[in-house]
Amino acid sequence: MSPPGTFATTVHPFESPTPHACAYEVGLADATNALVFIGGLGDGPHTVPYPRAIAKRLEAEPELSYSVFEFRLTSSFAGFGFARLADDVADISALVKYLRSIGKQRVVLLGHSTGSQDCMEYTSPSHKLEPVEAYILQAPVADRGALAQDMGSEAALDEGLKVAKELIVSGRGHERLRPEHIAPAFRSTPISAARWYALAAADGEDNYFGPDLPDHVIKPYWSRVDKPLLILHSGNDEYVPSPVDKDALVSHWRGLCRPGIASELSGTIPGAGHRVEEPDSEKWLVKTVVEFLRSVK
């Protein structure tokens, strides 16, 4: 008998910019559609529990014909310290191309945390990527706010960013930033000056979800999304500063999208922390994701 917590997965080696790439499929063995989970900073395949809960629910909904895929990006685990969102979307596109080659008809991207930023980056016209049918953003958090909390204030964060900017300007953005210049939670991970600036600066290339960003900055991001979109903040996300009204933020983002793009199912997951590990919150998330998948054509 297998120990509790074990689960079966089908391993798919595929060609990717990341050497020796493999995707891990869970759920319906003969599914014709794919839900691709993309984790956040420090994540890799199977580090977030709820994709397996979604896969289990989808097994009970065979008419939808979805299985769940996870995979290792260049940025997975500790790789995020030097890999950019542009690297992530190249990896994602390679997986989508592979999924099409094995007959998957619909491909939906589900981004968690920084995976949500990857979904937004995937819509950028600056990349030539394999098309997908829809996007789901779960825990679309601004790293800047979370990192400022970890460092005690935005002023402390900006001191380190000043050092990072000086290195970038002098052509040394690839160099590792000294630990005292980054948030305590990240000091065990090597991070380049350029990557830290992208993550933490108000004008960093990762900052899609800053609640204080003006509309003239963010409207182009949301209005370029041309496929169905589900936005789900976590109701009790520990990485979102308490003054932020997450429901109002999601509603505002929806209003910046093209008509009919952002799903009416969008909102906040009741009682959920960042990773949605609370049982009732996970059930709500699973139900909502499955309901959204029903609408994807």
Side-chain angles (χ1 to χ4, degrees):
M1 179 180 289
S2 299
T6 61
F7 59 94
T9 182
T10 301
V11 183
H12 295 256
F14 68 99
E15 292 293 324
S16 170
T18 297
H20 314 297
C22 289
Y24 306 91
E25 181 183 13
V26 178
L28 287 173
D30 58 350
T32 57
N33 305 312
L35 178 65
V36 177
F37 178 78
I38 307 154
L41 298 181
D43 284 326
H46 319 309
T47 57
V48 176
Y50 73 71
R52 296 189 292 283
I54 294 173
K56 186 173 182 63
R57 172 63 183 273
L58 287 169
E59 287 181 320
E61 307 274 355
E63 72 282 2
L64 291 178
S65 198
Y66 276 92
S67 58
V68 176
F69 285 78
E70 299 186 54
F71 68 111
R72 184 166 184 167
L73 299 89
T74 301
S75 65
S76 292
F77 303 113
F80 70 85
F82 284 81
R84 303 170 57 211
L85 296 185
D87 300 314
D88 287 356
V89 297
D91 287 339
I92 296 166
S93 184
L95 175 57
V96 174
K97 182 178 181 179
Y98 167 75
L99 293 173
R100 301 295 190 194
S101 76
I102 61 171
K104 300 302 180 185
Q105 296 173 11
R106 297 176 190 148
V107 179
V108 176
L109 303 185
L110 165 53
H112 159 71
S113 195
T114 299
S116 296
Q117 294 161 337
D118 284 331
C119 288
M120 295 299 285
E121 184 71 17
Y122 205 87
T123 68
S124 171
S126 64
H127 307 295
K128 294 186 182 299
L129 304 171
E130 297 291 322
V132 299
E133 276 61 52
Y135 303 95
I136 302 172
L137 314 181
Q138 188 273 312
V141 172
D143 292 306
R144 178 172 172 80
L147 296 171
Q149 284 188 144
D150 194 26
M151 296 192 76
S153 68
E154 283 195 1
L157 178 62
D158 288 338
E159 281 297 312
L161 287 170
K162 181 180 178 182
V163 175
K165 185 70 169 180
E166 290 170 353
L167 287 170
I168 294 168
V169 170
S170 65
R172 299 163 60 198
H174 62 282
E175 293 185 11
R176 179 181 180 178
L177 203 58
R178 292 179 62 85
E180 62 265 28
H181 298 309
I182 63 177
F186 291 84
R187 288 177 183 169
S188 62
T189 302
I191 300 178
S192 72
R195 187 70 185 112
W196 184 248
Y197 194 89
L199 284 169
D203 61 343
E205 62 182 30
D206 284 32
N207 194 11
Y208 281 108
F209 305 126
D212 55 350
L213 290 174
D215 283 359
H216 75 267
V217 172
I218 63 171
K219 183 174 175 56
Y221 305 150
W222 295 101
S223 64
R224 75 190 185 201
V225 180
D226 61 355
K227 299 293 175 62
L229 174 68
L230 176 64
I231 311 168
L232 296 174
H233 242 308
S234 290
N236 295 335
D237 198 313
E238 62 272 25
Y239 296 117
V240 178
S242 56
V244 175
D245 184 335
K246 293 180 284 292
D247 281 306
L249 191 60
V250 171
S251 179
H252 184 63
W253 289 340
R254 285 186 63 206
L256 296 176
C257 293
R258 302 180 194 183
I261 288 294
S263 171
E264 293 183 0
L265 296 169
S266 299
T268 57
I269 307 167
H274 191 63
R275 289 159 51 90
V276 198
E277 296 182 276
E278 302 78 8
D280 287 344
S281 301
E282 181 183 82
K283 289 177 184 175
W284 190 98
L285 169 63
V286 170
K287 177 178 179 293
T288 303
V289 167
V290 171
E291 191 172 347
F292 175 71
L293 291 177
R294 291 186 194 281
S295 70
V296 176
K297 305 301 181 184

